[in-house]
Each structure stands twice: as structure tokens, then as C-alpha cells.
Amino acid sequence: MVLFGIDAAKKIFKLSIFENQYNMKRIIIYYLAMLVFVVACSKEEENTVEALNCECTNPIKEKDIAWQMLIGEWTWVSTATQSKLNQGGTSLTPNNTNDQISYIFSADTLTIIKNGLKIYKEQYAVGYFGEYNSTPSDSTLVVKYLSNMQIADVSILRIDNDCMQLINSYDDAGGDIKLKKK
């Protein structure tokens, strides 16, 4: 009988070690999963904070300098839309739309890539608002889209280092787009 008790104790002890190892593996996997989750959330939060900090606090006012700064690839950060129907407006971002959008400006052409597909290509020019309307003294910088010579095809341009805004909410026809230089 005693021998049976010792054998049983050995089996229980081995089983106990196995259960402890199994539990340790579960605990390690749990903590690794939590670490990945925390790091992923931190990265998303960092991107959101970076996007919020993309402000044009000291925009360039000279047309030629702004045009040179504009050339290159820009990543879409947000679009703030305003509407007479929707009093508060909405804010669209890559996080809430699941869209990755790039604006690529060459010397005279804008190409927009959405989720890897080219969705828009247009010739443009950088100028002053007064060059396109009857108030020549208006020196607000604008991007003029050249396929249609109507005044509505203008976005106010604010560019400062690696942040840019294309403002189009003045005519309730779109939104204010924030972009960050890639």
C-alpha cells in the first residue's frame, strides 16, 4: 500500500509540474498578447496626436516658394467637412474611413492615389486668389485646378514645412483637407 501511495504521489507531483508549466505558458502568452495590444494602441494614439499637430501655424505667403514646397508626395491626415445641413460638420480620417490617400504634386500635375489606385489626375497652378477673380489685390495663396476655369475650382493653400491645408469649405463644396509631407 505504501508503494502505491508513493507512486501516486510521484504521478501527482509530475502532473502538478506539467500543469504549472502549462499555466506558465498561458500566462506568458497572455502577457505577450497584452504587450502587442498596448504597443499597437500606443502607435495609433501617436499617429492621431501627430495628425492633430499638423497645423500650418506660419504659412508661406510667397507663391514661388509655396509652389516649390508643394511638390512631392503628401499623406492625407484628415478632411473637415462643413455643411449647411449638418451644422457641426464631420471629420474624416484614415482611422475612421479605412482609406489611405496620397496626394502627389509634380510641377504642374496633381495625382491622387486612394488605397493604391489612382482616382484623380489634374493639372494645377499655384497663384493668388486675385489672379483668378475680379479682385487683383487679393493675395491669398490658392491652388487652381485647370480643367475647368470656374472660380469654384480653387482651394486656398496653406503650407508650412511638412504640413499643408487645402481649404475648400468657403463654398460648401467639399472640405478642409490636411496633408503631411511624406
Side-chain angles (χ1 to χ4, degrees):
M1 269 319 217
V2 173
L3 197 55
F4 177 78
I6 291 174
D7 287 337
K10 284 182 181 178
K11 286 182 180 179
I12 291 171
F13 181 70
K14 285 183 182 177
L15 183 61
S16 174
I17 289 173
F18 174 75
E19 285 178 352
N20 284 341
Q21 287 176 342
Y22 178 72
N23 285 337
M24 267 318 252
K25 287 180 184 176
R26 285 179 46 193
I27 290 170
I28 289 170
I29 291 171
Y30 171 77
Y31 280 113
L32 285 174
M34 289 303 294
L35 180 64
V36 169
F37 178 73
V38 168
V39 169
C41 289
S42 296
K43 184 66 175 169
E44 184 177 316
E45 190 173 295
E46 181 181 301
N47 288 341
T48 303
V49 169
E50 183 179 310
L52 294 175
N53 290 332
C54 188
E55 296 294 333
C56 297
T57 55
N58 191 20
I60 302 299
K61 299 195 184 308
E62 295 81 22
K63 174 172 64 171
D64 294 334
I65 295 172
W67 204 331
Q68 288 303 311
M69 289 178 72
L70 184 69
I71 295 173
E73 187 169 352
W74 296 80
T75 301
W76 174 62
V77 173
S78 67
T79 301
T81 61
Q82 301 190 12
S83 169
K84 293 173 185 157
L85 298 175
N86 182 5
Q87 294 298 321
T90 59
S91 180
L92 305 174
T93 67
N95 288 339
N96 65 22
T97 63
N98 292 320
D99 289 325
Q100 300 300 315
I101 302 174
S102 294
Y103 284 60
I104 303 168
F105 289 89
S106 69
D108 66 350
T109 304
L110 164 62
T111 304
I112 300 176
I113 308 292
K114 180 177 179 181
N115 300 325
L117 300 171
K118 180 171 64 172
I119 62 166
Y120 185 79
K121 189 170 185 174
E122 173 84 52
Q123 286 193 309
Y124 77 95
V126 173
Y128 296 111
F129 196 68
E131 295 173 354
Y132 303 111
N133 66 20
S134 60
T135 56
S137 63
D138 190 339
S139 62
T140 304
L141 270 178
V142 296
V143 172
K144 173 72 175 146
Y145 307 103
L146 300 177
S147 68
N148 186 351
M149 295 307 286
Q150 294 179 1
I151 194 79
D153 289 340
V154 172
S155 291
I156 296 171
L157 171 64
R158 293 176 50 100
I159 189 167
D160 178 11
N161 295 320
D162 62 348
C163 290
M164 174 180 22
Q165 289 177 291
L166 295 172
I167 301 168
N168 191 28
S169 60
Y170 61 90
D171 65 356
D172 202 29
D176 299 346
I177 301 168
K178 284 187 183 179
L179 303 162
K180 189 157 185 70
K181 190 88 172 217
K182 248 187 177 175

